[in-house]
């Protein structure tokens, strides 16, 4: 089974909702969990910045991950969005089957 989680952060819940919905509709993700706001601290253009952002977890397959990342990047409001793939070591077989079927 080749299920992965793609983690991304968004400017606000509305952007996370809009992009999350599009990724499920386009069958690039089986499911998206939009999490509560988080406080981010990062260096940008030589200065330390802080922001409230909205993280989201996208469940997809490894072979769809690059397309998912490209599409999120295309729709994202940030110049350089944080989008990373996290491997999943173990999961129920039925859940993995559902993810794979949902992104086919």
């Amino acid at each position: 089974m080749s299920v992965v989680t793609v983690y991304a952060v968004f400017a606000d819940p509305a952007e996370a909702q809009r992009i999350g919905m599009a990724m499920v509709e386009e069958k690039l993700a089986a499911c998206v969990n939009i999490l509560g706001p988080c406080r981010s601290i990062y260096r940008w253009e030589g200065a330390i910045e802080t922001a409230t952002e909205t993280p989201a977890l996208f469940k997809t397959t490894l072979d769809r991950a690059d397309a998912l990342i490209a599409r999120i990047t295309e729709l994202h409001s940030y110049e350089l969005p944080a989008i990373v793939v996290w491997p999943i070591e173990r999961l129920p077989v039925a859940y993995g089957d559902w993810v794979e079927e949902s992104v086919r």
Side-chain angles (χ1 to χ4, degrees):
M1 206 155 300
S2 63
V3 176
V4 297
T5 296
V6 174
Y7 170 83
V9 293
F10 299 91
D12 55 47
E15 181 178 51
Q17 171 74 27
R18 177 179 57 80
I19 293 175
M21 183 69 74
M23 297 308 91
V24 173
E25 287 173 349
E26 295 175 23
K27 294 190 171 190
L28 292 172
C31 152
V32 181
N33 302 117
I34 298 171
L35 307 177
C38 70
R39 194 77 181 142
S40 297
I41 304 167
Y42 54 94
R43 186 175 305 278
W44 182 250
E45 297 180 348
I48 295 177
E49 304 284 343
T50 63
T52 299
E53 297 181 297
T54 301
L57 304 171
F58 298 76
K59 269 69 85 197
T60 192
T61 56
L62 185 58
D63 64 334
R64 299 291 277 160
D66 287 340
L68 175 63
I69 290 168
R71 187 71 172 125
I72 292 171
T73 300
E74 181 180 305
L75 298 174
H76 208 289
S77 65
Y78 291 177
E79 179 182 333
L80 183 64
I83 309 167
V84 299
V85 177
W86 291 343
I88 296 175
E89 287 189 27
R90 291 177 184 79
L91 70 159
V93 171
Y95 181 76
D97 290 345
W98 171 78
V99 170
E100 289 179 346
E101 178 64 29
S102 296
V103 298
R104 245 184 246 149

